[in-house]
Structure formats: structure tokens, C-alpha cells
Amino acid sequence: MQKIEKILISNRGEIASRIIKTCKRLQIKTVAIYSEADSNYSFVKEAEEAISLIGSESKETYLNIEKIISIARQTKCDAIHPGYGFLSENSNFAEEVEKAGLIFIGPHHSAIFAMGDKVESRKKMKSINVPVVPGFDGIVSSDTQLLEEAKKIGFPVMIKASAGGGGRGMRKVFSEKEFFTDLESARREAKNFFSNDSVFIEKYIVNPRHIEVQIFGDTKGNVIHLYDRDCSIQRRNQKVVEEAPAPNISDKTRNEIYNTAISAGKCINYTNAGTVEFVMDENENFYFLEMNTRLQVEHPVTEMITGLDLVELQIRISEGFSIYEILPDGKVPEIRGSAIELRICAEEGLIDSKPSSGNIRYLNFSENEGARFDSGVITGNNVSIYYDSMIAKLISYSESRNTTIERAMTNLKALIILGLPTNHLLLDKILSHSEFREGKVNTGFLEKYIHPSNTKNDILFYLSICAVIHSIKIHDLMGRAFSEIHFEPKILDKCYVSDSFEIKNTLKIKHENIVYSIYKENDIFYITHDNEKYHYVLPKISLLNENNILLENGEKIYFCKYGLNIYLQNNCIKETFQILTESNSSKSKNSGNIQSSMPGKIISIHVKKGDTVNEGDPLISIESMKMENIIRAEINAKVEDIFFSVNNQINTEETLMILKNI
Ligand code: ADP
Ligand code: ADP
Ligand code: MG
């Protein structure tokens, strides 16, 4: 038995913060390591010690085995917690940690090795009569032979990387003629991500459910299960929403799947936390997919329904305790209630989304009953392109599944993230769908039920709100107070702003590449674009504070003004607007609003307000993806306004300065 007193966390973001939370409660000291891109993340401040690593790429930082172990030794840690992703399933890392005389908080490296390769783990499972997805995992001498095997299995098939993970290196193939192209691309992706291009073939089970079982083993040979999770809501084979327990499964099947998971664990002498994943067809036949030998992203839903802290269990097992010594009253708790986790991702687009990057201009979560918010980010953090796009997890819990879904919807609306796009709308559509509500989920859910809607959000309403926000100039981005209209927060409740301001000139506002012209006369907003003219009467609104507008019906709209950009969030709808200045209306080159086409950081500003610049003069230097870009004047002009300072993070399409033609 070795008491663990200090842990190095070899991970970042949400999961690093999560692990620190438990360590604080257990009075265990923590050491964080962080890359340059993560230097202002909250986990860096939360840990007792934080050591910076040179670089931002994963391979120089969170994947640098030698460096991580040497930091753990220098800071006198007893143990390393790998979190999930990165090195958590790297048996070589686990072995090196042990060799350095440290405890690896996870299973023995031999178990990671045994389950790390999907082909090997399939074979192992077959040997103990666990049903695996029908497929071919033998050795062939040519791709043509592999095609023959695929034909024997029968299309559709799934080509999978043996070393795969995170939904990568996997291709569905529907017919013979696509086989070679898909094989090649699966191999290429596998080589890229896992430096190993060996693949195998499985029968593609059409629209199965993804059901997994949380297990725990200890060094005394005990293996227990902590129930199941349904992770069927997936996109590109990656989980989006997870819940525990899985809805609509018979008790008989549930018991069978628990026993199967336990025997899988026992056959490799499994210790610590692990997850056995299965696909399940309509008739509740289940097949082994893979085993993840680590803490899972979705572990909080299991914590909510058991009342256990899985990170604590991991630590205590690593210290040598038996699982029964750790569990309250020495036994596995009964399931209580139902829990749902939403993965909050920085991404653009509903289904065919791509990761987005940029600075979080405002983040707020107002906690409701049964809510748990596991976040890796706070206001001001920069979401970089270097890592996963998942920035936080929102977990909701109650006694019943229906109430949990209601809570999840309320919680999602109460999570405000301004400055960059997130998957709020996708999650909201999932939670509101009747099939989801009835628990009729499978991995084809998103494709079948979730489509971009054509109904345009109430754009006139938002444009009018933007006009109000802009015209009263609440404060500018650097906190310089504007004097024109100064609101005291106390008076704000009573101040209906829609009556009390005038737009002096016509305002031009850009939204999704459409420019709207807007002016207000009496109580009516006149909005035009493309020769169409609308008029709109804005309902009474009151300004609560610099980020918050209250509607008459009691709803709140959150906003944040940055330079000339206005970010809005109304429940799960998020929109970005850009105020165009008078000088920008001219068609000439880059007169007007100077913007960066990429998110980045301001390195230097070469001019000051009032300066006259000539064509070709440098204006601002920006560091973006490690490259320095100089934005230059394309005309002779006067610098009318500058909205940012050196070291500020900037987002795509935020106006940095305004030039005026001379
Ligand atoms: P799970 O079943 O836990 O979702 P995955 O196979 O999807 O398992 O792998 C975990 C996911 O976590 C991967 O998508 C990986 O890209 C992602 N990931 C790894 N490290 C981090 C991290 N530090 N922060 C956020 N996401 C991460
Ligand atoms: P990863 O290691 O990337 O998590 P998995 O083998 O766990 O890979 O598969 C990820 C997801 O892909 C599964 O949850 C499932 O939705 C889908 N999938 C994998 N194999 C099959 C299959 N043979 N038939 C149908 N769907 C599959
Ligand atoms: Mg998996």
C-alpha cells in the first residue's frame, strides 16, 4: 500500500480540471503541465504547481513521454494521472512511468497492451466466447484478398484501423466498387493518427445502439461493473450525447452484458477503470467492439447515478486498496435516477461541422437543480486549433429520465458562450426530438432526424437589438466607458432602452455576409437589404448589464460587444453581427474595417489613432498558427479608431481598426 500525496496530470483542459477537483478534496497535491497555447487555461491556475512545456503541438507537449516523466520526478510526484486521450492508452508510457518508480493511475501496462490493438482484443474476446462483431481479422497477402474476405462477410462492411480510437481510421463501405478507395483512405488516416496502417474488417451493423459498461478491477483480482451507458448519439463515429442508464433495455440483456463485461475484464486481470464497448442490434443482440483502458469522457453520468467519484476510485485502487474497501458500505451502490451528458464543442455548422477556434469573449453558466458543468475554459480563454474541439461537458441529473431531459434543455440554454460558435443548436435539436425523448436512439439518429432548418432566426429582431446595443455604446471593448449615455446598473432595471435612444444615421450591419441598413424613426426600425424593406417594432427591452438584455416576457438575451462585433445568444441560438462604419461603405480595398482572416494574437500595432498612413505601410502584426502576418494599408488613409492592444487575442472577422479614406 502506497499513499499517493502528489500527482502529475499529463493532460489538459476539462479533464485536467476534473482530476484536480477530486485531488483537492482528497488533499492530494497536483502538478499541471501545459503547452504555450494553454497558458491561461483554468487547470494551470487550479493545480498547486504548473510547469510550462515549450511548444503547442501535442507531440512536443502532452505526448512527450520523456519530458513528462522527468517533470514528475523533479516535482517529486508519486503518481501520474493520464486523463483520457493523449497518452492514456499508451502501454509504453504506462511502462515507462512504472520504470521511473512512479505509479501510473490506470491499469497495468500489460492490460493496456492487450486491449490496445482491436484485432488482438477481438481474438482474446473470441477465446472466452464473448460475441464479437462478425468480421475478418486474419492476415492477408494482398488487398484483393482482403476484398474477397469483405465479400464473404457481405456488404456493407466497416474497414477499421487496428490501432484506431476517437472514431478515426474507420470507413463504412457499401459496395465492392468503393472498397479500394476506402481502404486506402482508412489506411492513410490510420498511419497519420496512429503511425500504424494495419486494418481489419467487420460486418457493418446497420444503425446499432452503442452500449458500454463501466468496470473497475483491483489488484486483488476483483472486477465489478458500475452499470451501463448509452452513447448512440454519434457523429462521424464520435459520441455527442451520453446517458446512464441506457433506456429501453430488458433486465435480462442488461445482466448478460454486465456479466460479459466482467468476464472481459477478468480475462486480462484488469485493474483500475475501464470501459467495455458493445454495439447492440434491434433484438438486443450485442457484440464486443473494443475496450477503453482508461477513464472515459462520459464518466460523469455514471458518477451521477451511483454517487461515486470515479477519479477517487482510480486513485485508491492505484494505492493498492481493494474495491470493496473503497466503496461506501463495501458494496456497489444501487442505481439512482438518470443522467445525461452533452459534449459542448467549439464548432461551426450543424451536422457537417468543422472545429472552430477563437477567443471566448464571455462564458457564463447559471447553475440549476441537478446540473453539473465540467468545463475546461473560462472567459478570455483561447480555443486553439491544436487540440480536440470539446471544451466542456454539461451533465444533468434527476430521478427520472423525462425530468433529466427537461433539465438538460434548461441547462443548455443557461450556458452562454459568446465569441465563437458552439454546438448548442445541434444539442437542443437532439434533446427536443420525440424519438430521443422516447429513448429510441441508435447511431443513425443524427443522419435520420437532424437537419438544418430553413426557418431563419428572427433576424429583424436581432438586428434591432444590435442597433440598440451599438447605439447606446454600453462600453467599448477595453473597458473605456463611453460617456454618451451612461447607465448605472441599479437604474437599468427600470430603463426601457428601446424608447430612449435614436440612431443618428443609418446603421449598416453585416450578418452572414449580408449587409442590412437600419434606422429608427419613432418606435419603428426600418431595415433594408437587397431592395427589400421591412419595418419592425421592437418589444420593450431593458438592459440589465453590459452582457444582458431582459425581454418583456422575462427571457434574457446575452450579448457581448467587442470592437464592432456583437455576439448574441438567445437560448440556443447564437448569431454574430458586425457593425460597418461609414468609411467602410466605400467599395475601395481595405479602407474601413481592418480585420484578420484568422484568429490569432496581436504582436504589435504600428500606428496610433489619428496617424496618416500610406499604401503599403504596416498597420498591425498578428501571430496566427505560429506565423506572423503583417496587415498593411492598401490605400492612403487616416487611422480613425483602434480597438485592440498588443497581446490581445482576436477572432476571425473582428474589426481591429478603422481607416478613413483621405
Ligand atoms: P470516449 O469513448 O471516451 O469518447 P474516444 O475514443 O472518443 O473515447 O476518445 C476520447 C476523446 O477525447 C478523443 O476524441 C480525443 O480526441 C479526445 N481528447 C483527448 N484528449 C483530450 C483533451 N485533453 N481534451 C479534450 N478532448 C480530448
Ligand atoms: P473508436 O476506438 O474510434 O472509439 P469503436 O470501435 O469504438 O472505435 O467504434 C466507434 C463507433 O463506430 C461505435 O460506437 C459505433 O457507433 C461505430 N461502429 C464501429 N464498428 C461498427 C460496426 N461494425 N458496425 C456499425 N457501427 C460500428
Ligand atoms: Mg470506442
Side-chain angles (χ1 to χ4, degrees):
M1 214 79 78
Q2 186 190 338
K3 174 115 186 62
I4 293 176
E5 311 215 19
K6 192 171 181 182
I7 297 175
L8 179 137
I9 299 159
S10 58
N11 212 305
R12 62 180 296 280
E14 174 276 316
I15 192 61
S17 292
R18 157 74 192 91
I19 296 164
I20 294 170
K21 207 169 276 169
T22 293
C23 290
K24 287 211 154 115
R25 189 170 59 76
L26 302 179
Q27 296 184 325
I28 295 172
K29 293 198 180 71
T30 49
V31 177
I33 52 167
Y34 64 97
S35 68
E36 285 169 16
D38 285 343
S39 59
N40 63 353
Y41 268 55
S42 40
F43 73 93
V44 176
K45 294 173 199 95
E46 288 155 5
E48 261 91 22
E49 280 171 68
I51 310 285
S52 71
L53 302 167
I54 295 158
S56 288
E57 302 281 351
S58 300
K59 62 176 183 297
E60 323 169 271
T61 54
Y62 303 106
L63 291 175
N64 187 338
I65 295 182
E66 218 175 296
K67 181 94 198 165
I68 293 170
I69 294 177
S70 101
I71 294 175
R73 296 180 70 154
Q74 276 162 26
T75 52
K76 304 207 158 37
C77 287
D78 321 297
I80 295 185
H81 196 306
Y84 53 71
F86 296 124
L87 294 170
S88 61
E89 291 187 277
N90 183 319
S91 61
N92 178 39
F93 178 59
E95 196 173 352
E96 291 299 320
V97 170
E98 270 170 49
K99 277 195 201 152
L102 300 163
I103 297 172
F104 178 79
I105 302 182
H108 190 258
H109 60 83
S110 60
I112 303 180
F113 186 79
M115 287 296 169
D117 186 287
K118 290 189 191 201
V119 170
E120 292 310 312
S121 63
R122 271 173 66 92
K123 287 183 182 157
K124 196 150 265 138
M125 290 304 111
K126 277 198 269 187
S127 75
I128 57 162
N129 296 323
V130 167
V132 301
V133 182
F136 175 77
D137 45 32
I139 294 166
V140 286
S141 54
S142 71
D143 287 354
T144 329
Q145 229 181 317
L146 204 57
L147 171 64
E148 289 312 310
E149 295 299 336
K151 286 205 280 203
K152 271 190 225 158
I153 298 166
F155 286 98
V157 298
M158 194 89 155
I159 302 176
K160 282 178 145 179
S162 323
R168 304 251 159 66
M170 202 179 277
R171 294 287 178 277
K172 263 183 247 177
V173 193
F174 288 95
S175 70
E176 191 177 333
K177 65 178 193 305
E178 303 150 29
F179 187 79
F180 290 117
T181 329
D182 283 329
L183 178 62
E184 207 179 298
S185 91
R187 280 220 167 103
R188 202 168 29 233
E189 194 168 294
K191 181 98 196 158
N192 258 339
F193 278 98
F194 317 109
S195 314
N196 175 350
D197 68 0
S198 66
V199 296
F200 67 105
I201 302 176
E202 276 179 2
K203 173 86 193 153
Y204 177 67
I205 315 276
V206 181
N207 297 341
R209 292 177 70 176
H210 172 115
I211 306 289
E212 58 183 36
V213 180
Q214 174 73 56
I215 64 162
F216 261 92
D218 63 22
T219 48
K220 319 276 189 254
N222 303 305
V223 179
I224 58 147
H225 73 81
L226 292 177
Y227 312 105
D228 52 275
R229 296 184 285 252
D230 184 313
C231 315
S232 301
I233 306 288
Q234 298 186 352
R235 189 185 38 192
R236 297 191 282 267
N237 305 311
Q238 258 199 313
K239 300 157 187 167
V240 179
V241 174
E242 301 106 335
E243 63 177 297
N248 303 335
I249 294 184
S250 68
D251 287 346
K252 179 171 165 283
T253 307
R254 240 186 255 278
N255 282 325
E256 277 172 28
I257 207 166
Y258 295 157
N259 290 335
T260 308
I262 288 181
S263 50
K266 284 202 164 147
C267 100
I268 51 166
N269 299 319
Y270 197 76
T271 54
N272 223 290
T275 296
V276 189
E277 297 190 330
F278 301 90
V279 279
M280 185 182 274
D281 70 16
E282 286 172 343
N283 302 318
E284 298 194 354
N285 297 309
F286 57 86
Y287 306 93
F288 172 84
L289 261 184
E290 65 159 347
M291 177 163 178
N292 293 327
T293 53
R294 56 172 160 85
L295 189 68
Q296 204 89 345
V297 173
E298 56 275 20
H299 76 276
V301 289
T302 300
E303 297 187 320
M304 299 306 268
I305 63 154
T306 57
L308 298 169
D309 176 337
L310 300 198
V311 175
E312 178 180 5
L313 297 193
Q314 285 194 294
I315 296 171
R316 295 302 180 219
I317 282 170
S318 299
E319 288 180 328
F321 288 99
S322 96
I323 188 80
Y324 296 106
E325 286 174 289
I326 313 164
L327 290 170
D329 304 324
K331 55 180 197 286
V332 174
E334 300 275 313
I335 293 189
R336 37 165 231 197
S338 138
I340 292 180
E341 174 180 279
L342 309 175
R343 294 194 186 195
I344 309 294
C345 299
E347 61 185 34
E348 225 173 321
L350 192 68
I351 302 288
D352 286 325
S353 62
K354 57 177 196 328
S356 65
S357 55
N359 197 271
I360 298 180
R361 297 305 191 195
Y362 180 80
L363 185 146
N364 184 54
F365 178 61
S366 16
E367 199 120 338
N368 296 295
E369 209 185 336
R372 164 172 166 183
F373 183 47
D374 280 19
S375 176
V377 290
I378 47 175
T379 297
N381 278 172
N382 213 43
V383 178
S384 71
I385 44 141
Y386 297 107
Y387 317 109
D388 202 88
S389 62
M390 192 186 82
I391 51 175
K393 304 182 306 204
L394 188 53
I395 303 106
S396 305
Y397 165 82
S398 84
E399 301 279 298
S400 78
R401 187 172 184 270
N402 286 343
T403 312
T404 300
I405 295 173
E406 291 306 325
R407 286 187 176 171
M409 294 191 69
T410 309
N411 290 331
L412 184 62
K413 290 175 180 136
L415 173 61
I416 312 299
I417 302 178
L418 300 175
L420 78 183
T422 56
N423 60 341
H424 270 73
L425 202 56
L426 171 68
L427 295 170
D428 188 54
K429 280 179 184 261
I430 295 168
L431 294 172
S432 342
H433 202 280
S434 58
E435 296 284 311
F436 178 80
R437 290 178 163 244
E438 285 167 33
K440 294 185 189 154
V441 287
N442 65 48
T443 59
F445 181 89
L446 292 189
E447 206 177 347
K448 184 160 180 204
Y449 298 117
I450 308 293
H451 305 287
S453 51
N454 297 324
T455 49
K456 196 59 215 136
N457 299 327
D458 200 348
I459 200 71
L460 299 185
F461 171 61
Y462 296 126
L463 284 166
S464 311
I465 294 221
C466 279
V468 173
I469 292 170
H470 179 66
S471 303
I472 56 175
K473 293 189 174 163
I474 300 141
H475 77 143
D476 83 353
L477 81 148
M478 290 310 148
R480 282 183 276 141
F482 273 80
S483 52
E484 287 171 46
I485 300 175
H486 187 72
F487 287 108
E488 288 292 332
K490 275 178 274 151
I491 311 171
L492 287 184
D493 297 327
K494 295 184 210 114
C495 172
Y496 292 116
V497 290
S498 57
D499 291 341
S500 63
F501 87 104
E502 290 301 329
I503 304 174
K504 293 197 188 76
N505 302 305
T506 299
L507 201 61
K508 284 195 178 347
I509 304 182
K510 193 160 123 189
H511 174 255
E512 291 181 347
N513 283 325
I514 301 174
V515 176
Y516 298 86
S517 298
I518 173 165
Y519 73 93
K520 181 175 173 257
E521 213 172 82
N522 301 323
D523 272 346
I524 303 169
F525 289 85
Y526 293 91
I527 303 174
T528 54
H529 81 93
D530 269 357
N531 298 328
E532 289 186 69
K533 188 165 185 171
Y534 309 93
H535 57 264
Y536 185 76
V537 181
L538 186 65
K540 283 201 187 308
I541 57 171
S542 49
L543 192 70
L544 289 185
N545 60 41
E546 65 198 48
N547 291 114
N548 217 323
I549 272 177
L550 186 68
L551 307 186
E552 251 178 335
N553 65 5
E555 251 178 65
K556 279 183 192 170
I557 294 189
Y558 286 80
F559 68 90
C560 142
K561 196 174 168 216
Y562 238 83
L564 293 177
N565 271 34
I566 294 174
Y567 301 101
L568 281 186
Q569 184 174 337
N570 181 12
N571 293 322
C572 291
I573 294 169
K574 295 171 63 165
E575 303 282 359
T576 302
F577 298 86
Q578 217 184 313
I579 309 287
L580 301 182
T581 56
E582 215 182 306
S583 35
N584 193 45
S585 312
S586 72
K587 293 274 184 296
S588 64
K589 298 186 181 170
N590 77 353
S591 63
N593 300 10
I594 303 295
Q595 302 179 343
S596 164
S597 55
M598 272 189 273
K601 188 163 115 180
I602 298 186
I603 305 293
S604 62
I605 299 178
H606 307 282
V607 291
K608 51 184 194 311
K609 200 169 160 174
D611 281 0
T612 309
V613 292
N614 293 319
E615 186 183 337
D617 284 354
L619 300 172
I620 297 189
S621 297
I622 290 160
E623 187 190 80
S624 218
M625 296 163 79
K626 289 198 164 172
M627 296 209 310
E628 198 172 315
N629 281 313
I630 302 178
I631 302 182
R632 293 174 186 279
E634 292 181 11
I635 45 153
N636 300 337
K638 188 172 167 228
V639 179
E640 197 168 77
D641 213 343
I642 303 177
F643 296 104
F644 287 81
S645 338
V646 172
N647 283 332
N648 281 167
Q649 295 286 349
I650 52 158
N651 288 343
T652 317
E653 291 193 356
E654 276 177 346
T655 298
L656 311 177
M657 63 170 71
I658 300 175
L659 295 190
K660 192 166 184 165
N661 266 314
I662 45 170

